[in-house]
Amino acid sequence: MISDMNPEGIVGEYSESIIQLYEIGPRKVLVTNNEVPYPDGRLIVSRTDTKGIITHVNRSFVEMSGYSEEELVGAPHSILRHPDMPRAAFKDLWDTITEGRIWQGYVKNLRKDGGFYWVKATVIPNIRKGRIVGYTSVRRKPDRRRVEECIPLYASMKKKEQEGSQ
Amino acid sequence: MSYKFTVSPDFSPDYLSGWFIFNTWLQRALGRSFHLEMMDNFQQLHQAIDEDRIDLIYANPYDASMLVRDKGFVPLVKPRGGADEAVIAVRADSDVDAVESLFPGIKVASTDDPDVHLMGMIMLEPAGLSHDSMEIKQCDNYVLVAKALLKGECETGIFLDKAFDELSRPIQSQLRALVRSEIQVIHHSLMAGPRLQAEVGNLRRVLSTMEIDPKGQGVLEGLGVSGWDLVDEEETEFMIDLMETLTYSPD
Ligand SMILES: Cc1cc2nc3c(=O)[nH]c(=O)nc-3n(C[C@H](O)[C@H](O)[C@H](O)COP(=O)(O)O)c2cc1C
């Protein structure tokens, strides 16, 4: 399960948003402006079942997300969903991987402490004996210039999504 | 019948005789005949795999996908603590203090070790560098990568971490590591092909107990390995998926 974020764990000034999660419903998230730089030389790796429930995380994932392994395994991957990310990005991700193809994109992730970090993510379906049995996401350090291009792009996508839903 | 054994051509030349001694040990332990043939380069290796001439291979992780998914190989063991990692280094007196201060158009010294080169390229990506925006000087070994930096022929180099750490003191003191990978799950492994299927159980048994066999111990030392750890199929499938995310490019 996935609960609202707790103000006690937040480092620094924060603002509140409500995000709508697929098949879960609303979640209150608390976000700050603290960006945590991606650690050099590391890959942040997680695996999920076919529904997007986390089944495995590596040490770099635990360190960057701020959650413990126990909190992560069994939780939906949207536990990292940042309110600045447009819904369309994740729709594209799920449309691609459920077809058995690889998805790649830049993602802004939300930490347990309200801070955020940018990654270049590649998600691959785990195909065993011809069936998709889960997914693996491997994140690496992004080129800052690509991130700077995504910031206004994602903001305008979000704006359109909000206008569309009114 | 004799089985064909080969070692991925990126093995360290220090261990050449060690692999022949290992082959002799394995034949005794298993009571089967193996012929060890070393390939000169990856092209030769890939042709041999393609023509189904290999039965046992100490494989580079880069080749695992083809071996397992196209050729029906099964993973047996990996060297203990033997994950492959890469180092990006510059000359010690270089102005460059981070990967991000490297610029398109630079010359990069590397080798044809496919997994190390790939990890190196991933670490250069944050600087906006790709194969299209750099010139690669392919060297035959890591000492030559170091020399290309020292002679000023290349601004940066991609090393296997162990090879970087084993460079002689005088060479090492003139180089500086910018980044070291900490990926931890990319490793070489011994793999058995379809003709060896009936021997897989025996192979796993003799290899995983090799370190407690007094003769086996010495043979392992000759390979620079402290012992073999069993690898199951899902661990290898996971590594293959991970390698595919790293080699994926959308265009
Ligand atoms: C393997 C895998 C990794 C994922 N990693 C992330 C992630 O790091 N951050 C994120 O916000 N969503 C990630 N997602 C997407 C989430 O499952 C989810 O779609 C997204 O957070 C948006 O939430 P929603 O689908 O409930 O709207 C991942 C999905 C998969 C299958």
Side-chain angles (χ1 to χ4, degrees), chain A residues 81-114:
Chain A
R81 167 84 196 272
H82 196 284
D84 290 349
M85 282 299 292
R87 190 175 279 277
F90 296 114
K91 179 167 185 329
D92 182 48
L93 182 161
W94 279 101
D95 286 350
T96 307
I97 62 177
T98 48
E99 273 180 19
R101 293 185 293 127
I102 294 180
W103 181 89
Q104 193 167 70
Y106 295 86
V107 180
K108 183 177 185 175
N109 273 328
L110 178 61
R111 290 165 51 94
K112 186 181 183 181
D113 68 5

CSV table of all heavy atoms in Angstrom, one decimal, chain A residues 81-114:
chain,number,residue,atom,x,y,z
A,81,ARG,N,6.4,8.8,-7.6
A,81,ARG,CA,5.8,9.7,-8.6
A,81,ARG,C,5.9,11.2,-8.1
A,81,ARG,O,5.4,11.5,-7.0
A,81,ARG,CB,4.3,9.3,-8.8
A,81,ARG,CG,3.4,10.3,-9.5
A,81,ARG,CD,3.6,10.2,-11.0
A,81,ARG,NE,3.1,11.4,-11.6
A,81,ARG,CZ,1.8,11.5,-12.0
A,81,ARG,NH1,0.9,10.6,-11.8
A,81,ARG,NH2,1.4,12.6,-12.6
A,82,HIS,N,6.5,12.0,-8.9
A,82,HIS,CA,6.6,13.5,-8.5
A,82,HIS,C,5.4,14.2,-9.2
A,82,HIS,O,5.1,13.9,-10.4
A,82,HIS,CB,7.9,14.0,-9.0
A,82,HIS,CG,8.3,15.3,-8.4
A,82,HIS,ND1,7.7,16.5,-8.8
A,82,HIS,CD2,9.1,15.6,-7.3
A,82,HIS,CE1,8.2,17.5,-8.0
A,82,HIS,NE2,9.1,17.0,-7.1
A,83,PRO,N,4.8,15.2,-8.5
A,83,PRO,CA,3.7,15.9,-9.1
A,83,PRO,C,4.1,16.7,-10.4
A,83,PRO,O,3.2,17.0,-11.2
A,83,PRO,CB,3.2,16.9,-8.0
A,83,PRO,CG,4.3,16.9,-7.0
A,83,PRO,CD,5.0,15.6,-7.1
A,84,ASP,N,5.4,17.0,-10.6
A,84,ASP,CA,5.8,17.7,-11.8
A,84,ASP,C,5.8,16.8,-13.1
A,84,ASP,O,6.0,17.3,-14.2
A,84,ASP,CB,7.2,18.3,-11.6
A,84,ASP,CG,7.1,19.5,-10.7
A,84,ASP,OD1,6.0,19.9,-10.3
A,84,ASP,OD2,8.2,19.9,-10.3
A,85,MET,N,5.7,15.5,-12.9
A,85,MET,CA,5.7,14.6,-14.0
A,85,MET,C,4.4,14.5,-14.7
A,85,MET,O,3.4,14.3,-14.0
A,85,MET,CB,6.1,13.1,-13.6
A,85,MET,CG,7.6,12.9,-13.3
A,85,MET,SD,8.7,13.2,-14.8
A,85,MET,CE,8.2,11.9,-15.8
A,86,PRO,N,4.3,14.7,-16.0
A,86,PRO,CA,3.0,14.5,-16.7
A,86,PRO,C,2.6,13.1,-16.8
A,86,PRO,O,3.4,12.2,-16.9
A,86,PRO,CB,3.3,15.1,-18.1
A,86,PRO,CG,4.8,14.9,-18.3
A,86,PRO,CD,5.4,15.0,-16.9
A,87,ARG,N,1.3,12.9,-16.7
A,87,ARG,CA,0.7,11.6,-16.7
A,87,ARG,C,1.0,10.9,-18.1
A,87,ARG,O,1.2,9.7,-18.1
A,87,ARG,CB,-0.9,11.9,-16.7
A,87,ARG,CG,-1.7,10.7,-16.5
A,87,ARG,CD,-3.2,11.3,-16.4
A,87,ARG,NE,-3.4,11.7,-15.0
A,87,ARG,CZ,-3.8,10.9,-14.0
A,87,ARG,NH1,-3.9,9.6,-14.3
A,87,ARG,NH2,-4.0,11.3,-12.8
A,88,ALA,N,1.1,11.7,-19.2
A,88,ALA,CA,1.3,11.1,-20.5
A,88,ALA,C,2.6,10.3,-20.5
A,88,ALA,O,2.8,9.4,-21.3
A,88,ALA,CB,1.3,12.2,-21.5
A,89,ALA,N,3.6,10.8,-19.8
A,89,ALA,CA,4.9,10.1,-19.8
A,89,ALA,C,4.7,8.6,-19.3
A,89,ALA,O,5.3,7.7,-19.9
A,89,ALA,CB,5.9,10.8,-18.9
A,90,PHE,N,4.0,8.5,-18.3
A,90,PHE,CA,3.8,7.1,-17.7
A,90,PHE,C,2.8,6.3,-18.6
A,90,PHE,O,3.0,5.1,-18.6
A,90,PHE,CB,3.4,7.2,-16.3
A,90,PHE,CG,4.4,7.8,-15.4
A,90,PHE,CD1,4.2,9.0,-14.8
A,90,PHE,CD2,5.6,7.2,-15.2
A,90,PHE,CE1,5.1,9.6,-14.0
A,90,PHE,CE2,6.6,7.8,-14.5
A,90,PHE,CZ,6.4,9.0,-13.8
A,91,LYS,N,1.9,7.0,-19.2
A,91,LYS,CA,1.0,6.2,-20.1
A,91,LYS,C,1.8,5.6,-21.3
A,91,LYS,O,1.7,4.5,-21.6
A,91,LYS,CB,-0.1,7.2,-20.7
A,91,LYS,CG,-1.0,6.4,-21.6
A,91,LYS,CD,-2.3,7.2,-22.0
A,91,LYS,CE,-3.2,6.4,-22.8
A,91,LYS,NZ,-2.7,5.5,-23.8
A,92,ASP,N,2.8,6.5,-21.8
A,92,ASP,CA,3.6,6.0,-22.9
A,92,ASP,C,4.5,4.9,-22.4
A,92,ASP,O,4.7,3.9,-23.1
A,92,ASP,CB,4.5,7.2,-23.3
A,92,ASP,CG,5.4,6.8,-24.5
A,92,ASP,OD1,4.9,6.2,-25.4
A,92,ASP,OD2,6.6,7.1,-24.4
A,93,LEU,N,5.0,5.0,-21.1
A,93,LEU,CA,5.8,3.9,-20.6
A,93,LEU,C,5.0,2.6,-20.5
A,93,LEU,O,5.5,1.6,-21.1
A,93,LEU,CB,6.3,4.3,-19.1
A,93,LEU,CG,7.2,3.4,-18.3
A,93,LEU,CD1,7.8,4.2,-17.2
A,93,LEU,CD2,6.5,2.2,-17.7
A,94,TRP,N,3.8,2.6,-20.0
A,94,TRP,CA,3.1,1.4,-19.8
A,94,TRP,C,2.6,0.9,-21.2
A,94,TRP,O,2.6,-0.3,-21.4
A,94,TRP,CB,1.9,1.6,-18.9
A,94,TRP,CG,2.3,1.5,-17.4
A,94,TRP,CD1,2.6,2.6,-16.6
A,94,TRP,CD2,2.6,0.3,-16.7
A,94,TRP,NE1,3.0,2.1,-15.4
A,94,TRP,CE2,3.1,0.7,-15.4
A,94,TRP,CE3,2.6,-1.0,-17.0
A,94,TRP,CZ2,3.4,-0.2,-14.4
A,94,TRP,CZ3,3.0,-2.0,-16.0
A,94,TRP,CH2,3.4,-1.6,-14.8
A,95,ASP,N,2.2,1.8,-22.1
A,95,ASP,CA,1.8,1.3,-23.4
A,95,ASP,C,3.0,0.6,-24.1
A,95,ASP,O,2.8,-0.4,-24.8
A,95,ASP,CB,1.4,2.5,-24.3
A,95,ASP,CG,0.0,3.1,-23.9
A,95,ASP,OD1,-0.6,2.4,-23.1
A,95,ASP,OD2,-0.3,4.2,-24.4
A,96,THR,N,4.2,1.1,-23.9
A,96,THR,CA,5.3,0.5,-24.6
A,96,THR,C,5.7,-0.8,-24.0
A,96,THR,O,5.9,-1.8,-24.7
A,96,THR,CB,6.6,1.5,-24.5
A,96,THR,OG1,6.1,2.8,-25.0
A,96,THR,CG2,7.7,1.0,-25.3
A,97,ILE,N,5.8,-0.9,-22.7
A,97,ILE,CA,6.4,-2.1,-22.0
A,97,ILE,C,5.4,-3.3,-22.1
A,97,ILE,O,5.7,-4.4,-22.2
A,97,ILE,CB,6.9,-1.9,-20.6
A,97,ILE,CG1,5.8,-1.4,-19.7
A,97,ILE,CG2,8.1,-0.9,-20.6
A,97,ILE,CD1,6.3,-1.2,-18.2
A,98,THR,N,4.1,-2.9,-22.0
A,98,THR,CA,3.1,-4.1,-22.1
A,98,THR,C,3.1,-4.7,-23.5
A,98,THR,O,2.6,-5.8,-23.6
A,98,THR,CB,1.7,-3.6,-21.6
A,98,THR,OG1,1.3,-2.4,-22.3
A,98,THR,CG2,1.6,-3.4,-20.2
A,99,GLU,N,3.6,-3.9,-24.4
A,99,GLU,CA,3.7,-4.5,-25.8
A,99,GLU,C,5.0,-5.3,-25.9
A,99,GLU,O,5.3,-5.8,-27.0
A,99,GLU,CB,3.7,-3.4,-26.8
A,99,GLU,CG,2.4,-3.0,-27.3
A,99,GLU,CD,2.5,-1.8,-28.3
A,99,GLU,OE1,3.6,-1.6,-28.9
A,99,GLU,OE2,1.5,-1.2,-28.5
A,100,GLY,N,5.8,-5.4,-24.9
A,100,GLY,CA,7.0,-6.2,-24.9
A,100,GLY,C,8.2,-5.4,-25.4
A,100,GLY,O,9.3,-6.0,-25.7
A,101,ARG,N,8.1,-4.0,-25.5
A,101,ARG,CA,9.2,-3.2,-26.0
A,101,ARG,C,9.9,-2.5,-24.9
A,101,ARG,O,9.3,-2.3,-23.8
A,101,ARG,CB,8.7,-2.3,-27.1
A,101,ARG,CG,8.2,-3.0,-28.3
A,101,ARG,CD,7.8,-2.0,-29.4
A,101,ARG,NE,6.6,-1.3,-29.1
A,101,ARG,CZ,6.5,0.0,-29.1
A,101,ARG,NH1,7.6,0.8,-29.5
A,101,ARG,NH2,5.4,0.6,-28.8
A,102,ILE,N,11.1,-1.9,-25.2
A,102,ILE,CA,11.8,-1.1,-24.2
A,102,ILE,C,11.4,0.3,-24.2
A,102,ILE,O,11.2,0.9,-25.3
A,102,ILE,CB,13.3,-1.2,-24.5
A,102,ILE,CG1,13.8,-2.7,-24.3
A,102,ILE,CG2,14.2,-0.3,-23.7
A,102,ILE,CD1,15.3,-2.9,-24.6
A,103,TRP,N,11.3,0.9,-23.0
A,103,TRP,CA,11.0,2.4,-23.0
A,103,TRP,C,12.1,3.1,-22.3
A,103,TRP,O,12.8,2.6,-21.4
A,103,TRP,CB,9.7,2.6,-22.1
A,103,TRP,CG,9.3,4.0,-21.9
A,103,TRP,CD1,8.4,4.7,-22.8
A,103,TRP,CD2,9.7,5.0,-20.9
A,103,TRP,NE1,8.3,6.0,-22.3
A,103,TRP,CE2,9.0,6.2,-21.2
A,103,TRP,CE3,10.5,4.9,-19.8
A,103,TRP,CZ2,9.2,7.3,-20.4
A,103,TRP,CZ3,10.7,6.0,-19.0
A,103,TRP,CH2,10.0,7.2,-19.3
A,104,GLN,N,12.4,4.3,-22.9
A,104,GLN,CA,13.5,5.1,-22.3
A,104,GLN,C,13.0,6.5,-22.2
A,104,GLN,O,12.3,7.1,-23.1
A,104,GLN,CB,14.7,5.0,-23.2
A,104,GLN,CG,16.0,5.6,-22.6
A,104,GLN,CD,17.2,5.2,-23.4
A,104,GLN,OE1,17.4,5.7,-24.5
A,104,GLN,NE2,18.0,4.3,-22.9
A,105,GLY,N,13.4,7.2,-21.1
A,105,GLY,CA,13.0,8.6,-20.9
A,105,GLY,C,13.6,9.2,-19.7
A,105,GLY,O,14.2,8.5,-18.9
A,106,TYR,N,13.4,10.5,-19.5
A,106,TYR,CA,13.9,11.2,-18.4
A,106,TYR,C,12.8,11.4,-17.4
A,106,TYR,O,11.7,11.7,-17.7
A,106,TYR,CB,14.5,12.6,-18.8
A,106,TYR,CG,15.7,12.4,-19.7
A,106,TYR,CD1,15.5,12.2,-21.1
A,106,TYR,CD2,16.9,12.4,-19.2
A,106,TYR,CE1,16.6,12.0,-21.9
A,106,TYR,CE2,18.0,12.1,-20.0
A,106,TYR,CZ,17.9,12.0,-21.4
A,106,TYR,OH,18.9,11.8,-22.2
A,107,VAL,N,13.1,11.1,-16.1
A,107,VAL,CA,12.1,11.1,-15.1
A,107,VAL,C,12.6,11.8,-13.9
A,107,VAL,O,13.7,11.7,-13.4
A,107,VAL,CB,11.7,9.6,-14.6
A,107,VAL,CG1,10.7,9.6,-13.6
A,107,VAL,CG2,11.3,8.8,-15.8
A,108,LYS,N,11.7,12.7,-13.3
A,108,LYS,CA,11.9,13.4,-12.1
A,108,LYS,C,11.2,12.6,-11.0
A,108,LYS,O,10.0,12.3,-11.0
A,108,LYS,CB,11.3,14.8,-12.1
A,108,LYS,CG,11.6,15.6,-10.9
A,108,LYS,CD,11.0,17.0,-11.1
A,108,LYS,CE,11.3,18.0,-10.0
A,108,LYS,NZ,10.8,19.3,-10.2
A,109,ASN,N,12.0,12.1,-10.0
A,109,ASN,CA,11.5,11.2,-9.0
A,109,ASN,C,11.4,12.0,-7.6
A,109,ASN,O,12.3,12.8,-7.3
A,109,ASN,CB,12.4,10.0,-8.8
A,109,ASN,CG,12.0,8.9,-9.8
A,109,ASN,OD1,10.8,8.7,-10.1
A,109,ASN,ND2,12.9,8.1,-10.2
A,110,LEU,N,10.4,11.6,-6.8
A,110,LEU,CA,10.2,12.2,-5.5
A,110,LEU,C,10.8,11.3,-4.4
A,110,LEU,O,10.6,10.1,-4.4
A,110,LEU,CB,8.7,12.3,-5.3
A,110,LEU,CG,8.2,12.9,-4.0
A,110,LEU,CD1,8.7,14.3,-3.8
A,110,LEU,CD2,6.7,12.9,-4.0
A,111,ARG,N,11.6,12.0,-3.5
A,111,ARG,CA,12.2,11.2,-2.4
A,111,ARG,C,11.3,11.2,-1.2
A,111,ARG,O,10.4,12.1,-1.1
A,111,ARG,CB,13.5,11.9,-2.0
A,111,ARG,CG,14.6,11.7,-3.0
A,111,ARG,CD,15.7,12.7,-2.7
A,111,ARG,NE,16.2,12.7,-1.4
A,111,ARG,CZ,17.2,12.0,-0.9
A,111,ARG,NH1,17.9,11.2,-1.7
A,111,ARG,NH2,17.5,12.0,0.4
A,112,LYS,N,11.5,10.4,-0.3
A,112,LYS,CA,10.8,10.3,0.9
A,112,LYS,C,10.9,11.6,1.7
A,112,LYS,O,9.9,12.0,2.4
A,112,LYS,CB,11.2,9.1,1.8
A,112,LYS,CG,10.4,8.9,3.0
A,112,LYS,CD,10.9,7.8,3.9
A,112,LYS,CE,9.9,7.6,5.1
A,112,LYS,NZ,10.4,6.5,6.0
A,113,ASP,N,12.0,12.3,1.6
A,113,ASP,CA,12.2,13.6,2.3
A,113,ASP,C,11.7,14.8,1.6
A,113,ASP,O,11.9,15.9,2.0
A,113,ASP,CB,13.7,13.8,2.7
A,113,ASP,CG,14.6,14.0,1.5
A,113,ASP,OD1,14.1,14.1,0.4
A,113,ASP,OD2,15.8,14.1,1.7
A,114,GLY,N,10.9,14.6,0.5
A,114,GLY,CA,10.3,15.7,-0.3
A,114,GLY,C,11.2,16.2,-1.4
A,114,GLY,O,10.8,17.0,-2.2
